[in-house]
């Protein structure tokens, strides 16, 4: 069975990305994927460096609760909530802003892999309840952060317009 391409089902892989234009698919124009890949890579390096800096500034003992990762993920999700409201509902952003900041910087800053390793470290170290609490708390904090940041940003933008 052949896998369906996004354009075959009528939805782009990324909002605003038109895969039906052959020149874009090949990357043969200035509007190709090369600039997108470049800004994602640069943004990712910036975000990952910031996360690494946070881990150096706030080290965690081997059996300690991974507060820095939880905080980084919650802050990153809050910033994603603000950012997505601003660029989708308030301002028209350049086509490279979202891949640079959203996918690159914030994708590099937030970390599912460290979250998973922290849970595995806690559980294998005999701290099963702490690992499960961390699993649930991070999920709750991330969802609450993105929702509350988006909600607050919408309210502030509405208040500013009135």
């Amino acid at each position: 069975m052949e896998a369906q391409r996004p354009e075959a089902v009528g939805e782009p892989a990324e909002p605003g990305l038109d895969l039906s234009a052959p020149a874009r698919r090949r990357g043969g124009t200035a509007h190709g994927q090369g600039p997108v890949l470049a800004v994602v890579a640069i943004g990712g390096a910036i975000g990952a460096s910031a996360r690494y800096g946070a881990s150096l500034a706030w080290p965690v003992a081997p059996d300690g609760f991974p507060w820095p990762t939880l905080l980084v993920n919650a802050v990153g999700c809050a910033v994603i909530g603000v950012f997505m409201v601003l660029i989708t509902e308030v301002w028209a952003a350049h086509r490279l802003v979202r891949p640079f900041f959203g996918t690159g910087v914030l994708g590099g800053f937030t970390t599912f892999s460290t979250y998973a390793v922290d849970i595995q470290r806690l559980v294998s170290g005999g701290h099963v309840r702490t690992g499960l609490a961390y699993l649930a708390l991070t999920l709750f904090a991330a969802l609450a952060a993105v929702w509350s940041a988006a909600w607050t940003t919408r309210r502030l933008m509405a208040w500013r317009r009135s």
Side-chain angles (χ1 to χ4, degrees), residues 1 6 10 23 26 34 36 53-54 59 62 68 72 74 79 83 93 98 104 109 117 130 133 138 146-147 150 162:
M1 174 183 228
R26 287 191 307 268
V36 174
V72 159
V79 175
F83 176 68
R98 185 174 177 174
F109 182 66
V117 168
T130 304
T138 298
V146 74
W147 180 85
S162 60

Side-chain angles (χ1 to χ4, degrees), residues 33-45 96 99-100:
Q33 295 303 306
V36 174
L37 292 174
V39 299
V40 168
I42 293 166
L96 296 178
F100 170 73

Side-chain angles (χ1 to χ4, degrees), residues 69-81 110 115 135-149:
T69 304
L70 187 141
L71 184 63
V72 159
N73 285 334
V75 167
C77 286
V79 175
I80 287 169
T110 57
Y115 167 61
L135 179 125
L137 183 58
T138 298
L139 178 61
F140 175 77
L143 291 174
V146 74
W147 180 85
S148 61

Side-chain angles (χ1 to χ4, degrees), residues 18-91:
D18 181 9
L19 296 177
S20 65
R24 283 189 180 179
R25 250 196 326 260
R26 287 191 307 268
T29 69
H31 295 288
Q33 295 303 306
V36 174
L37 292 174
V39 299
V40 168
I42 293 166
I46 293 168
S49 296
R51 177 176 30 90
Y52 180 67
S55 72
L56 292 178
W58 194 359
V60 176
D63 62 340
F65 193 86
W67 288 108
T69 304
L70 187 141
L71 184 63
V72 159
N73 285 334
V75 167
C77 286
V79 175
I80 287 169
V82 171
F83 176 68
M84 291 310 295
V85 168
L86 292 178
I87 69 161
T88 60
E89 300 174 20
V90 179
W91 301 314

